[in-house]
Amino acid sequence: MSFLRRRKAPVNTTSPGSDHEEEEEKDKKKENKTLKVKTKSGEGEKQKKWSCVGNCFWFIGFICSVWWFLLFLYNAMPASFPQYVAETISGGPLPDPPGVKLRKEGLTANHPVVFVPGIVTGGLELWEGRQCADGLFRKRLWGGTFGELYKRPLCWIKHMSLDNETGLDPPGIRVRPVSGLVAADYFAPGYFVWAVLIANLARIGYEEKNMYMAAYDWRISFQNTEVRDQTLSRIKNNIELMVTTNGGKKVVVVPHSMGVLYFLHFMKWVEAPGPMGGGGGSDWCAKHIKAVMNIGGPFLGVPKSVSGLFSIEARDIAIARGFAPGFLDKDVFRFQTLQHLMRMTRTWDSTMSMIPKGGDTIWGGLDWSPEGYYNCRARKLKSNDTCRASQNDKKNLDLMKNVNYGRLISFGKDVAELHSSRLENLDFRGAVKGRNLANTSTCDVWTEYHEMGVEGIKAVTDYKTYTTDSVLDLLHFVAPKMMERGGAHFSYGIADNLDDEKFKHYKYWSNPLETTLPNAPDMEIYSMYGVGIPTERAYVYKFNPQSECNIPFQIDTSADGGNDSCLKGGVYSADGDETVPVLSAGFMCAKAWRGKTRFNPSGIRTYIREYDHAPPANLLEGRGTQSGAHVDILGNFALIEDVIRVAAGASGDDLGGDKVHSDIFKWSEKINLKL
């Protein structure tokens, strides 16, 4: 017992001093815990304040890395494996690529071929930049991997933007087009543009000595590509060299998308006297060009350009904004993505070349449009089986919807459908603009909407609906600096008298309704485009009051017309290639240039070749060999075969003349244009 007592004594017999020390130790532990909690909460506050832009762009980088890894696996497979799987799925041997097929028929390289890329598909590289772009000399800023976009987005935007006053390079920055066939063969790894067409031409004997990529800086106005880079002169010299070195054989020119308008400008420039033109003379095109095979040409502009300039939106972006409000605004990322993109793209003068041309005469007014009744439920529209309004076909008539595409922008679904006699429009043109928004000092980036003020923004919505004519006034109202620059380089009307001296100015050369084709009666012009895909034609908008920093107008994705309606997610769709409506791509060759007209005084033969869209049969077919989509059509086997046959010496009549699936001729007849 004495032993136990001795063992317990140290535990139970504690002095008052030791109790005090234990209490101090407990207090210290509590203080340490409190400090740790405060430190963690402080870090949490810092993390909350820190923008998640970095994480977002790292996520994009992760997606790209996965894509590259999958490409690596695809390329590591035996060459015969994809073909074996595809043949197993399709139940038979795959058709030969057009180049292989035509080589078996005995076709060989004949006429030199010139490619003219469209907007955004040509690579751009850095030659001089600011400090934030160190290490990027001659690296691609546009095209390729787009690595710098997610590594340093604000620096990338700064270098891709042009001067808001001149439309040319900002001080200390030089971004220039990549040269050679690699400029636009692939837009990004695995995403072809011209590569498939080039490869098939190579199969019948073409190589770089008789193929030329007319690369240019697609951001700047067409005439400024000559002022800054002498691009038009380089194209002229290269074509002359190719004709000379290929035994005097004329070139076949293949422009795509905006490249169609660019080459239209070139044909007027090359014949015009200097210093404004190239001084080639009125017979230059007749001597050097066999055919111009326009692919997906926005001859009369595209409605999508209006929504892009007005609210930096298209169908897909509008759906993303509607699904997750604030996702692309400062509300979530604390980085005004759309505002930065708007400020950047509004410095690209070339975008204004695709504003719809011809006004209400071409695109329709408040109560009519050339397309008129349209079967929006049909996936594909063919001239021989499209539902048409007829007295003897009541079933098909029920499927037709009288869609008024003439109202390019309407504020509200009810306004889009209301008869013009019941519309109450308040004219916005005289509205007083002023910087009286609540607070724009917290905005990351300035846009011209900040200068409009509450009254200016209200005036735009009070006008209710805009046709093609009034859309031009609208853009002048909301973006005066941009339209002032654009007005010096582009025009959107219809010429009353093409002999008027004013139409010799370069601003009219890319508008086919205000200029004439070259004096080249032996030349051929083709309009080649996809059909059977819903294509943006008109929009329903709403006012967006969320924040003084946000873009105040937004496509109303809640506006929907039901299962059989042409209105889906605030967008009215018509027939086209997903970007260019049939009306814009086909009208000139269907009517305005058909035969000898005031727009085609020498009677150049014109052909329409439409390609009915069919999605890929399986994943191994990639983006499809029968696609009619705006870019994917460059891999369409039927189109490639047509191009190769003409390059090998065939004419439009040899191809079978027109190949039409849409109602382009019917719609063209509804347009009252003096010929």
Side-chain angles (χ1 to χ4, degrees):
M1 294 294 293
S2 61
F3 173 75
L4 290 174
R5 286 174 185 171
R6 283 198 301 269
R7 295 288 297 173
K8 290 179 180 179
V11 177
N12 295 328
T13 59
T14 55
S15 64
S18 62
D19 290 339
H20 181 68
E21 289 176 358
E22 286 180 0
E23 289 177 0
E24 285 182 350
E25 287 180 3
K26 290 179 180 178
D27 291 339
K28 285 181 181 180
K29 288 180 180 179
K30 288 181 180 179
E31 288 178 3
N32 290 336
K33 287 181 180 179
T34 305
L35 286 172
K36 286 180 180 179
V37 171
K38 287 183 178 180
T39 303
K40 288 181 179 179
S41 63
E43 290 176 356
E45 289 176 3
K46 288 181 181 178
Q47 288 177 355
K48 287 181 181 178
K49 291 180 180 178
W50 179 70
S51 171
C52 68
V53 176
N55 281 346
C56 299
F57 284 107
W58 278 114
F59 175 72
I60 295 173
F62 171 75
I63 297 297
C64 293
S65 299
V66 171
W67 173 251
W68 295 330
F69 178 69
L70 293 175
L71 281 177
F72 169 76
L73 292 180
Y74 179 80
N75 291 322
M77 287 189 297
S80 59
F81 182 74
Q83 182 177 356
Y84 169 76
V85 175
E87 289 179 354
T88 303
I89 294 173
S90 61
L94 296 177
D96 287 331
V100 175
K101 172 187 173 183
L102 298 178
R103 184 178 61 192
K104 291 178 180 178
E105 293 182 13
L107 271 65
T108 58
N110 191 1
H111 294 273
V113 178
V114 177
F115 309 109
V116 186
I119 192 169
V120 310
T121 54
L124 298 173
E125 60 187 16
L126 183 69
W127 282 80
E128 180 183 3
R130 305 281 174 81
Q131 186 175 0
C132 66
D134 286 347
L136 297 182
F137 176 67
R138 293 208 65 196
K139 298 285 182 65
R140 287 201 183 195
L141 292 186
W142 188 271
T145 62
F146 283 92
E148 301 311 315
L149 170 59
Y150 60 84
K151 286 181 182 176
R152 27 189 161 182
L154 293 180
C155 182
W156 180 85
I157 288 174
K158 182 185 296 184
H159 285 77
M160 284 297 297
S161 299
L162 296 169
D163 188 274
N164 200 34
E165 300 292 336
T166 65
L168 295 170
D169 296 317
I173 293 176
R174 283 186 295 149
V175 176
R176 296 294 181 265
V178 178
S179 59
L181 295 178
V182 296
D185 55 352
Y186 285 91
F187 177 66
Y191 192 92
F192 72 83
V193 182
W194 294 94
V196 177
L197 178 56
I198 291 171
N200 278 278
L201 283 165
R203 287 188 171 102
I204 68 164
Y206 279 91
E207 51 190 280
E208 203 150 9
K209 69 180 181 181
N210 48 15
M211 287 192 292
Y212 166 60
M213 183 70 71
Y216 59 98
D217 190 337
W218 44 262
R219 300 173 303 160
I220 63 180
S221 70
F222 301 159
Q223 191 68 11
N224 274 342
T225 62
E226 174 65 16
V227 171
R228 194 193 72 179
D229 301 333
Q230 293 76 53
T231 303
L232 298 174
S233 294
R234 294 173 189 273
I235 295 174
K236 175 177 179 283
N237 294 337
N238 274 287
I239 290 177
E240 290 174 344
L241 178 63
M242 293 174 79
V243 171
T244 301
T245 56
N246 285 274
K249 295 175 182 176
K250 301 176 186 179
V251 300
V252 172
V253 184
V254 189
H256 173 247
S257 190
M258 193 185 74
V260 168
L261 301 179
Y262 186 69
F263 196 75
L264 193 64
H265 180 97
F266 169 82
M267 288 193 293
K268 296 302 294 183
W269 173 87
V270 75
E271 293 186 340
M276 188 183 298
S282 60
D283 59 348
W284 190 93
C285 291
K287 290 180 177 178
H288 296 88
I289 302 175
K290 175 191 186 298
V292 183
M293 308 190 76
N294 302 290
I295 302 175
F299 288 106
L300 302 178
V302 288
K304 186 182 284 189
S305 68
V306 174
S307 64
L309 294 171
F310 186 53
S311 63
I312 200 66
E313 286 181 295
R315 188 201 312 268
D316 296 337
I317 294 177
I319 291 173
R321 291 183 76 185
F323 180 74
F327 184 76
L328 295 174
D329 295 307
K330 194 173 181 178
D331 299 346
V332 173
F333 289 142
R334 300 200 172 114
F335 176 77
Q336 293 173 310
T337 310
L338 290 178
Q339 286 84 337
H340 279 287
L341 290 176
M342 171 173 280
R343 188 169 187 183
M344 177 180 71
T345 56
R346 280 189 175 182
T347 66
W348 297 351
D349 289 352
S350 64
T351 58
M352 288 176 278
S353 70
M354 292 188 290
I355 294 174
K357 304 173 178 67
D360 295 359
T361 301
I362 299 293
W363 295 92
L366 288 174
D367 292 317
W368 82 279
S369 59
E371 295 93 335
Y373 284 92
Y374 183 78
N375 181 12
C376 297
R377 193 174 73 174
R379 186 184 66 84
K380 297 181 181 180
L381 299 179
K382 298 182 180 180
S383 58
N384 60 347
D385 64 2
T386 298
C387 299
R388 299 179 182 228
S390 65
Q391 296 178 353
N392 300 323
D393 197 344
K394 293 182 180 180
K395 180 180 178 181
N396 287 343
L397 183 60
D398 291 338
L399 294 177
M400 306 300 285
K401 303 293 181 181
N402 186 13
V403 183
N404 183 14
Y405 296 111
R407 303 182 189 190
L408 207 57
I409 289 178
S410 301
F411 279 90
K413 178 187 173 184
D414 54 336
V415 172
E417 298 173 347
L418 201 64
H419 191 272
S420 61
S421 61
R422 300 175 62 188
L423 287 173
E424 295 181 4
N425 291 347
L426 299 178
D427 198 351
F428 64 92
R429 297 172 183 86
V432 177
K433 294 195 292 185
R435 191 167 184 171
N436 56 352
L437 292 177
N439 181 20
T440 57
S441 60
T442 60
C443 302
D444 292 339
V445 59
W446 174 90
T447 69
E448 288 180 291
Y449 282 125
H450 298 158
E451 299 291 339
M452 289 182 60
V454 174
E455 292 301 321
I457 291 171
K458 184 176 183 298
V460 170
T461 59
D462 286 345
Y463 193 72
K464 305 295 185 185
T465 185
Y466 298 82
T467 64
T468 308
D469 282 341
S470 52
V471 153
L472 289 173
D473 295 329
L474 172 65
L475 292 176
H476 275 286
F477 187 75
V478 301
K481 287 186 178 180
M482 176 191 75
M483 293 301 289
E484 183 181 359
R485 291 195 323 271
H489 291 274
F490 304 106
S491 182
Y492 312 102
I494 301 174
D496 291 327
N497 179 15
L498 286 166
D499 294 327
D500 193 322
E501 287 294 315
K502 76 174 185 179
F503 293 112
K504 294 182 179 179
H505 192 273
Y506 59 76
K507 68 180 285 185
Y508 301 101
W509 291 347
S510 60
N511 181 358
L513 298 173
E514 292 184 308
T515 190
T516 59
L517 289 176
N519 182 23
D522 294 331
M523 193 171 82
E524 295 179 334
I525 292 183
Y526 297 78
S527 187
M528 314 167 76
Y529 53 90
V531 296
I533 307 178
T535 303
E536 296 173 41
R537 180 66 170 82
Y539 303 89
V540 175
Y541 267 85
K542 67 178 180 180
F543 173 60
N544 177 23
Q546 289 182 2
S547 166
E548 61 271 9
C549 294
N550 286 354
I551 297 167
F553 311 112
Q554 181 177 343
I555 294 175
D556 185 2
T557 54
S558 66
D560 199 288
N563 293 332
D564 298 338
S565 175
C566 295
L567 176 62
K568 299 288 185 184
V571 179
Y572 282 100
S573 297
D575 195 11
D577 68 359
E578 206 170 26
T579 296
V580 183
V582 166
L583 187 66
S584 179
F587 174 75
M588 294 306 297
C589 284
K591 183 173 182 178
W593 287 340
R594 184 61 57 121
K596 281 193 176 184
T597 68
R598 66 191 185 104
F599 303 105
N600 182 14
S602 66
I604 295 174
R605 286 165 294 174
T606 62
Y607 300 94
I608 291 180
R609 305 286 291 177
E610 293 184 346
Y611 304 88
D612 205 6
H613 174 71
N618 53 69
L619 291 176
L620 292 175
E621 198 176 306
R623 285 150 59 197
T625 59
Q626 301 179 63
S627 176
H630 188 63
V631 177
D632 296 354
I633 197 173
L634 290 170
N636 184 299
F637 278 13
L639 179 141
I640 293 173
E641 183 174 332
D642 286 347
V643 171
I644 294 177
R645 287 189 183 279
V646 172
S651 67
D653 291 336
D654 296 329
L655 298 183
D658 296 324
K659 183 179 71 173
V660 178
H661 299 285
S662 73
D663 285 330
I664 182 59
F665 287 109
K666 175 183 173 183
W667 296 338
S668 297
E669 288 304 314
K670 294 182 180 180
I671 296 174
N672 185 19
L673 180 67
K674 175 187 171 184
L675 299 177

